[in-house]
Structure formats: C-alpha cells, structure tokens
C-alpha cells in the first residue's frame, strides 16, 4: 500500500517530528548555573540602567526608510491577499487538515513564523495584519466614536482571541479542521471590526490579542521604526521601552503557559492520561491541563513579583517587569517550534500552489515532499538549549535593568531574588519539557 | 491485510484439509471453511458430478530480474474477465493467483507477470474461480495448482532489525504508551493488535495502515528520519506508540 505523500496535521493542530532528547538534567543544571552567575555578575557590573538609552539606537539612513516603506506596502497586499485566500480555502477547500492550506498557515506560519520574524525584524505584524488594514478602513471618521467600558478600553478583551487560539490548538479535538479555523477567523474578524466601527480602531487594536502579543515580541528586535525612520539598536534593548499593562502581562503569561503545555502534552505522562480518551472527553482533559499549566506559570510570576515588591514597596511590580517575559516566551517558542517551522512549514510552500485543492500548480511547488532531514536532531537540540538559556538570561538582564532604573543597586538585587527563583524554575521546566 | 490474512488462513486450512483427507472424494459438502470463521465461510461450487472436471496446471519461471512469468495450462473452462464480478455461468471462470499465500491477482489471462519480488523461493499458487469469485471445488478442495519458483535479481529480502508489538484493547493501549527506540538505518517491524477497526498513522514517515478488529497489522518502517514520532489512531484520536530513531 502506498502511504499518502502529504503531511498530516493531527490532534494538536500540529504533528510530526518532535526532537531527540538532549541530556536534560545536565542541560538544566548548566542553565541554572549560568543564570545564577549572570545574576551575580549583573549585581557587580550593571549598577545603572543602560538599556533605555541603548534602545534609542541610530538611524539607518534614508534609503533604508524608503525600502521599509516599500516593503510595508508589499506586506499590506501580501497579508490581505493571503488571509483572504486562507480564510476562503478554509471555508470551501477540502475539509481535511492534510490537503487544506488553512491549518498549516494558521498554526505554523501565523503562530510561529510571525512572532519569530518579529523578533528579528520588528513589529512586522502591524504591516501584514489584515485586521489592521480593515480596522482602519471601517473606522468611520465622521461618526462620533462611542466610548467603551473601562475593561475593554484597557485591552482585557485581547485575552479572548489568544486564549481561544491556544484552546483550539492545544485542547480542542477538532482544532485543525479547516472549517473550524475559518469560522473562528470570521467570528473574530466580525467582532473586531464591529468594535472598530463603534469605537475606533485605536480602541479595537488593543483588543486584537495577536497584534498585542506579536508587537511585544517585536520589542526584542534590533530594528524598529520611529517617526517613519528605520532605526537599529542592540537586540533585546527595546525591552526597556516596552510598556506592559496588566492585560499584556496576562497575554504573555498565557502564551508561555500554552507553549509549556504543548511540550507537556507530548510527554508520556500526559500521553498515558489521554490514552483511551477521544473527542470531547479528550478536549475536556486537555482544557483542564492547559488551564492548569497557564495558571501555574502565571501564579509563579505573580508570586515572585509580590515577594520582590515587598522589598521595594513597589505597587505594581507585575507590570514593571512584564517586558522580561518576552524573551522567555521567545526562548520557549524557538525551542518548541523551530523544527516545526522548518519542517512542517514546508507544507505551506507546497499548498500555496493549490490553496483550494483544485489541482492548480501556481508556483510549481505542488506535491513537493517534506525534507524531514533538513535540520539534524543535534542542531535542533542545540538550538533548543541555547534558545531557552539565552531567553532566560535576557529576561534576567531586562528585569535587572528595570530594577536598577527605579532603586539603588542593593535594593534592586534583593528585590530580584524571587524573580531569579522563578526564572530558574521556568528554565528547568522548559528544558525538561523540550526533552519530552 | 487482515481480511487477506484470514483468507490465507482459510486457504491454508483448506489445503491442510485436502492433504489430510487425500481420498475423501465422497465428501459432498459445498463449504470449505472451518467453522471458527462463520462469517468468512466461502461457498464453493462442487463439480464432483462432472466426468471431465476442469484441470489447472501452473508453471512459473524467473527472468533473473526479480520478475516471474506465470503460465497456466487449462482444460474444461473458458476464462472470462473477473471484473466486474458476474453471475456464475457453468463452464466460465477466472484465475486467482497468489504468492506465498497472499492473493496478488485475479485474471482471465493464462499468462501473468509478477514483478518486484524479493530474492529467494516463493510459492506461486493458482485457483480456479467462478465469475462470482466462488472457488470451483473437486473432491472438496479447490481446483488449482501450485509451484515453487526461485527468484534472482530481485529486491534483497531483509529481516527486521527490531520487532515491537503493541495492543489496543477496550479503548486503551495495553500497558500504556511506549516509546520504541531504534537507530537510523534499522528496519523496524511494529505489530499492532486491535479489538476495533481503525487506522494507525505514523507521523513524518506518513505511513497509514488499517487495523481490523481482532487481528494484528504490521508496519514495516525503514528508520530514515531521526527524531521522535508519534503514531496515532485516526479514529480514536489518541497515541498508540512513539518511535524514536536516533
């Protein structure tokens, strides 16, 4: 019998290869030592806040500005066309997660490709986002914009799309069905545009959870635009200028928790719990697991902030140190999804040639097989280890920089001990989970 | 695979029965199958009353490149196409050709080419079948013939380097989900026994095999892609095993 030549996306929206264990405990202890050492070194060598000034960067030049503007226009077109195609293909294309372009685009290109690119190139989602373009379009400048309740204005609704996305990806048993994805996308678009029409895109944008999340990730990028000028700065320095109000902190914690659960759900422990369960029964068990891990991640962070805040008398430490969650999320994402993007992502290339399953071959890539050996498991293992360790180191540095910005070095260091404990816990958990 | 497997069992049972009762020519039964497989009972068409029942003789010759020419000599029967199955017409029929007990072709041609065989000895068997795919029987056993052929220049047969087994029963994996560990380049045989009909899908290797209730299905995997791969039940949705290739 001939096995089907296509990629099969199953269960979690994503499927396929997970990577070989790195010697997990040795890696975890190494990472802990590195974290503790860098914390000690920071106390001695980093007495004053440096990042906020460094984040100013320098102007790249007029040519770069023009290029950025041009690419921005291209991105708007590409983003609008691609999302229309993917949404309509999800609605009318073949309703199998194998041969439809929607699942791989949503779960690999959008959810993994966009944030990882944002970390390198800045807030690119703002250019690609079809909601950004549509939201501005439907905003009626002649009408009086009606105010929204405080919670909406603060951006709390942004938790809904991100939470729903994680649930579809990681818990719902049919979350990779093209029809499910298409209807979810349509529902979200309609709600968002209604809000933009009613109260303006400026308000609605704060509820566009993906934009909020990807924008925060873009803060680590060495590239950013200010007043139409493209500027370059040291990587990660942008974190010093990233404001993270409570909803943004919640979204970041949610995304970290989701990624952690993705790793957790691949462990044999969870596999044994799920064995024999299918359909809604599996969905419920996964929902409980997802919520549990997200809560655990969030509680650990808030507890550390509260204990640290007692030292300094800080009223709102969770928001002050929120930006340090970004490199952690980034490290988790790279570790978990780097191979997914490079391997399963290849299916996108192939399906782009025939998005509606009509036998087209627009770019001549239809039916291209996936090169599963494109990256070796050794490379993947190292990328995972480095991503997690560097992510947490950057987080420690960013948090330290924020602390010395506000308080004397001694006080700052003391306030950071609980945070260090949480970072160590996150790092250990991350390394054990990628080892699966 | 499963149905085929059971057909083969039935066929073997028939052969065994035929060998055991060499002179049992007075048997008037028209059934051939053992009664453990009631739903698989294959009615045959007994031709014991005919003075000159059809005869079948088979010769098989290897061409030295992994292919075999099967030549069948027949008397007393007219070969008509087997597809689509028609009503039984006395004097008409077609041939079921099997290699090593597995049916590989149904044909109305007296010459048939087998390709892609592995090196070594193979048993080629031919049975005479009616238009409706029932066997013609004589003396209680199917009318047919078999021969051995030595194949050269074909694919090199390989024994699996590793053999694993897993059982799905009562909606769960017996003994929990296991991780089978293999090295790159290993030929890995994984047999899955299930008490329900379903499909097993092995990620990345993109292998899908059907499971049949109450039987064992074998996946033969060449360990070419390193990594850890989940195998899932398509219908039930949960993991049955993990394969680690390193």
């Amino acid at each position: 019998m001939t096995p089907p030549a296509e990629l099969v996306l199953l269960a979690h929206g994503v499927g396929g290869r997970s990577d070989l264990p790195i010697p997990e405990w040795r890696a975890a202890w190494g990472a802990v030592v590195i974290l503790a050492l860098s914390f000690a070194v920071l106390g001695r060598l980093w007495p004053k806040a440096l990042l906020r000034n460094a984040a100013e960067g320098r102007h790249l030049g007029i040519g770069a500005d023009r290029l950025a503007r041009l690419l921005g226009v291209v991105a708007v077109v590409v983003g609008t066309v691609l999302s229309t195609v993917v949404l309509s293909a999800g609605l009318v294309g073949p309703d199998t997660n194998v041969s439809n372009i929607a699942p791989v685009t949503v779960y690999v290109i959008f959810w993994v490709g966009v944030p990882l690119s944002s970390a390198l190139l800045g807030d690119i989602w703002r250019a690609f986002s079809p909601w950004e373009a549509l939201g501005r379009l439907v905003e009626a400048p002649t009408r009086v914009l009606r105010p929204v309740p405080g919670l909406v204005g603060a951006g709390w609704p942004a938790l809904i799309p991100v939470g729903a996305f994680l649930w579809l990806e990681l818990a719902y048993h049919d979350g990779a069905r093209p029809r499910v994805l298409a209807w979810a996308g349509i529902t979200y678009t309609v709600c968002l545009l209604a809000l933009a029409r009613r109260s303006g895109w400026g308000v609605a944008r704060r509820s566009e959870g993906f934009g909020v999340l990807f924008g925060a990730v873009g803060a680590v990028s060495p590239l950013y635009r200010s007043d139409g000028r493209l500027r370059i700065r040291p990587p990660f320095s942008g974190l010093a200028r990233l404001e993270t109000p409570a909803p943004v902190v919640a979204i970041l914690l949610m995304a970290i928790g989701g990624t952690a659960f993705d790793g957790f759900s691949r462990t044999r422990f969870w596999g044994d719990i799920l064995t024999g369960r299918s359909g809604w029964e599996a969905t419920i068990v996964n929902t409980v697991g997802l919520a549990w891990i997200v809560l655990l991640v969030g509680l650990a962070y808030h507890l550390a902030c509260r204990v640290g805040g007692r030292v300094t008398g800080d009223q709102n430490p969770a928001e002050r140190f929120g930006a340090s969650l970004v490199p952690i999320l980034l490290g988790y994402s790279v570790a978990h999804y780097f191979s997914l993007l490079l391997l399963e992502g290849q299916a996108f290339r192939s399906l782009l040639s025939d998005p509606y399953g009509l036998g087209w071959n627009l770019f001549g890539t239809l039916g291209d097989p996936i090169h599963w050996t494109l990256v070796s498991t050794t490379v993947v293992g190292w990328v995972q280890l480095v991503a997690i360790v560097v992510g947490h180191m950057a987080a420690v540095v960013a948090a330290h920089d924020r602390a010395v910005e506000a308080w004397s070095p001694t006080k700052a260091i003391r306030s950071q001990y609980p945070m260090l404990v949480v970072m160590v816990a996150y790092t250990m958990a991350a390394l054990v989970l990628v080892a699966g | 695979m499963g149905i085929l497997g059971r057909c083969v069992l039935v066929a073997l049972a028939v052969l065994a029965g035929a060998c055991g009762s060499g002179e049992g020519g007075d048997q008037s039964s028209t059934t051939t199958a053992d009664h453990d497989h009631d739903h698989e009972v294959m009615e045959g068409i007994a031709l014991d009353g005919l003075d000159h029942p059809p005869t079948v003789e088979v010769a098989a010759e290897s061409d030295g490149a992994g292919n075999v020419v099967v030549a069948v000599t027949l008397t007393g029967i007219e070969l008509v196409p087997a597809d689509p199955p028609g009503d039984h017409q006395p004097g008409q029929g077609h041939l079921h050709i099997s290699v090593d007990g597995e049916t590989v072709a149904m044909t109305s041609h007296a010459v048939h080419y087998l390709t892609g065989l592995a090196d070594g000895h193979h048993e080629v068997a031919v049975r005479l079948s009616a238009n409706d795919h029932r066997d013609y029987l004589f003396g209680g056993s199917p009318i047919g013939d078999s021969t051995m052929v030595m194949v050269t220049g074909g694919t090199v047969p390989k024994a699996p380097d590793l053999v694993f087994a897993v059982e799905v029963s009562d909606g769960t994996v017996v003994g929990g989900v296991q991780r089978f560990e293999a090295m790159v380049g290993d030929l890995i045989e994984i047999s899955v026994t299930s008490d329900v009909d379903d499909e097993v899908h092995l990620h990345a290797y993109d292998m899908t095999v059907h499971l049949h209730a109450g039987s064992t299905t074998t996946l033969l995997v060449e360990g070419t892609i390193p990594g850890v791969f989940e195998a899932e039940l398509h219908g039930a949705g949960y993991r049955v095993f993990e394969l680690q290739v390193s």
Side-chain angles (χ1 to χ4, degrees):
Chain A
M1 67 200 77
T2 347
E6 315 110 303
L7 157 75
V8 175
L9 295 157
L10 281 165
H12 301 162
V14 296
R17 180 175 134 159
S18 65
D19 298 293
L20 279 189
I22 42 182
E24 57 225 70
W25 286 106
R26 197 181 298 171
W29 284 117
V32 169
V33 170
I34 293 175
L35 273 192
L37 273 181
S38 40
F39 185 77
V41 170
L42 280 176
R44 294 204 159 269
L45 302 181
W46 200 302
K48 276 192 301 187
L50 302 173
L51 292 183
R52 196 174 287 272
N53 282 334
E56 183 66 32
R58 62 177 180 81
H59 185 208
L60 264 176
I62 305 287
D65 296 343
R66 286 206 192 112
L67 185 66
R69 251 199 308 279
L70 183 72
L71 289 177
V73 174
V74 173
V76 170
V77 176
V78 170
T80 312
V81 170
L82 193 60
S83 45
T84 311
V85 167
V86 168
L87 205 63
S88 52
L91 272 186
V92 302
D95 196 19
T96 61
N97 42 21
V98 184
S99 42
N100 198 298
I101 193 172
V104 69
T105 314
V106 171
Y107 287 125
V108 180
I109 303 301
F110 168 74
W111 185 243
V112 181
V114 171
L116 295 192
S117 314
S118 301
L120 294 175
L121 303 172
D123 190 5
I124 56 165
W125 182 242
R126 203 170 256 234
F128 279 101
S129 170
W131 298 307
E132 189 79 26
L134 284 173
R136 286 199 202 143
L137 213 64
V138 300
E139 189 183 78
T142 51
R143 276 181 15 164
V144 179
L145 298 176
R146 278 181 286 165
V148 288
L151 283 179
V152 176
W156 284 105
L159 288 175
I160 298 170
V162 177
F165 188 97
L166 289 173
W167 183 77
L168 278 181
E169 183 191 21
L170 303 169
Y172 181 50
H173 61 276
D174 234 358
R177 275 271 302 278
R179 299 288 181 272
V180 172
L181 289 174
W183 282 111
I186 288 169
T187 312
Y188 180 47
T189 307
V190 168
C191 293
L192 202 60
L193 295 186
L195 184 63
R197 179 85 186 162
R198 183 183 181 277
S199 306
W201 177 241
V203 170
R205 176 191 278 144
R206 261 173 271 155
S207 298
E208 207 279 88
F210 304 109
V212 172
L213 180 65
F214 300 155
V217 172
V220 307
S221 160
L223 294 173
Y224 77 111
R225 269 174 103 183
S226 165
D227 299 328
R229 286 160 175 251
L230 190 65
R231 304 181 71 92
I232 189 162
R233 62 190 174 189
F236 294 104
S237 64
L239 289 173
R241 296 176 173 217
L242 178 67
E243 292 306 318
T244 50
V248 181
V249 175
I251 286 177
L252 288 168
L253 288 169
M254 210 180 204
I256 293 174
T259 311
F261 176 69
D262 199 8
F264 185 61
S265 66
R266 277 152 212 245
T267 58
R268 262 170 289 175
F269 172 75
W270 197 252
D272 282 341
I273 288 179
L274 274 186
T275 299
R277 298 177 207 273
S278 51
W280 280 102
E281 198 189 347
T283 302
I284 290 167
V285 172
N286 276 322
T287 306
V288 172
L290 175 62
W292 182 63
I293 299 262
V294 168
L295 274 179
L296 214 61
V297 168
L299 275 180
Y301 176 74
H302 278 280
L303 206 65
C305 285
R306 180 137 347 141
V307 175
R310 215 171 276 163
V311 175
T312 53
D314 189 358
Q315 287 305 304
N316 217 335
E319 292 184 22
R320 182 187 300 275
F321 296 114
S324 60
L325 293 170
V326 172
I328 296 176
L329 172 62
L330 195 61
Y332 267 60
S333 294
V334 171
H336 278 281
Y337 299 128
F338 159 78
S339 59
L340 179 85
L341 184 64
L342 286 185
L343 301 176
E344 270 92 338
Q346 295 173 34
F348 176 71
R349 243 181 101 244
S350 155
L351 288 169
L352 205 56
S353 271
D354 185 21
Y356 295 102
L358 298 174
W360 302 349
N361 196 354
L362 297 178
F363 308 104
T365 54
L366 185 64
D368 280 4
I370 291 179
H371 298 287
W372 289 100
T373 45
L374 184 69
V375 280
S376 74
T377 49
T378 319
V379 170
V380 172
W382 276 107
V383 168
Q384 290 179 329
L385 182 62
V386 169
I388 288 170
V389 173
V390 169
H392 286 85
M393 275 176 65
V396 167
V397 172
H400 175 83
D401 192 73
R402 287 264 167 133
V404 288
E405 201 170 56
W407 305 292
S408 74
T410 339
K411 203 174 183 184
I413 291 283
R414 271 203 295 152
S415 78
Q416 286 301 297
Y417 280 123
M419 195 65 90
L420 179 69
V421 173
V422 171
M423 297 288 169
V424 167
Y426 280 4
T427 309
M428 303 266 275
L431 287 172
V432 170
L433 287 182
V434 289
Chain B
M1 196 58 191
I3 283 184
L4 222 57
R6 266 178 290 175
C7 291
V8 171
L9 274 182
V10 171
L12 285 177
V14 169
L15 280 177
C19 295
S21 57
E23 74 272 73
D26 56 350
Q27 278 180 309
S28 60
S29 91
T30 55
T31 58
T32 66
D34 56 348
H35 291 279
D36 292 347
H37 296 83
D38 286 321
H39 55 291
E40 286 288 332
V41 165
M42 288 168 64
E43 294 256 330
I45 300 167
L47 300 178
D48 297 1
L50 292 182
D51 290 341
H52 299 288
T55 61
V56 177
E57 238 177 275
V58 66
E61 200 178 326
S62 167
D63 70 349
N67 308 314
V68 166
V69 184
V70 180
V72 185
T73 316
L74 294 150
T75 62
I77 194 84
E78 180 199 355
L79 291 179
V80 296
D83 193 34
D87 290 331
H88 165 54
Q89 297 284 343
Q92 288 187 347
H94 62 270
L95 303 170
H96 286 191
I97 298 176
S98 62
V99 176
D100 300 330
E102 246 186 85
T103 304
V104 293
M106 299 179 185
T107 178
S108 58
H109 298 285
V111 177
H112 184 78
Y113 299 93
L114 300 167
T115 55
L117 292 174
D119 283 356
H121 284 284
H122 296 281
E123 185 200 37
V124 177
V126 173
R127 278 189 300 164
L128 196 54
S129 170
N131 290 355
D132 56 5
H133 291 298
R134 285 187 293 171
D135 283 330
Y136 279 121
L137 307 177
F138 188 79
S141 54
I143 298 174
D145 191 18
S146 70
T147 183
M148 294 300 288
V149 62
M150 174 71 185
V151 174
T152 53
T155 52
V156 180
K158 276 198 284 186
D161 299 296
L162 292 163
V163 179
F164 300 108
V166 62
E167 189 186 345
V168 178
S169 176
D170 293 330
T172 190
V173 180
V174 177
V177 177
Q178 287 171 280
R179 181 176 287 185
F180 301 138
E181 298 185 10
M183 306 288 284
V184 172
D186 281 350
L187 187 65
I188 307 141
E189 184 187 301
I190 301 164
S191 59
V192 184
T193 310
S194 172
D195 61 353
V196 286
D197 288 350
D198 207 322
E199 277 179 347
V200 171
H201 176 82
L202 178 62
H203 284 292
Y205 283 88
D206 263 340
M207 297 179 74
T208 306
V209 291
H210 293 272
L211 298 179
H212 296 280
S215 71
T216 301
T217 304
T218 305
L219 277 100
L220 207 56
V221 186
E222 271 184 75
T224 48
I225 312 167
V228 179
F229 308 94
E230 292 175 6
E232 269 174 306
L233 286 181
H234 256 172
Y238 53 82
R239 232 178 293 179
V240 271
F241 64 87
E242 291 173 353
L243 175 65
Q244 174 177 328
V245 181
S246 48

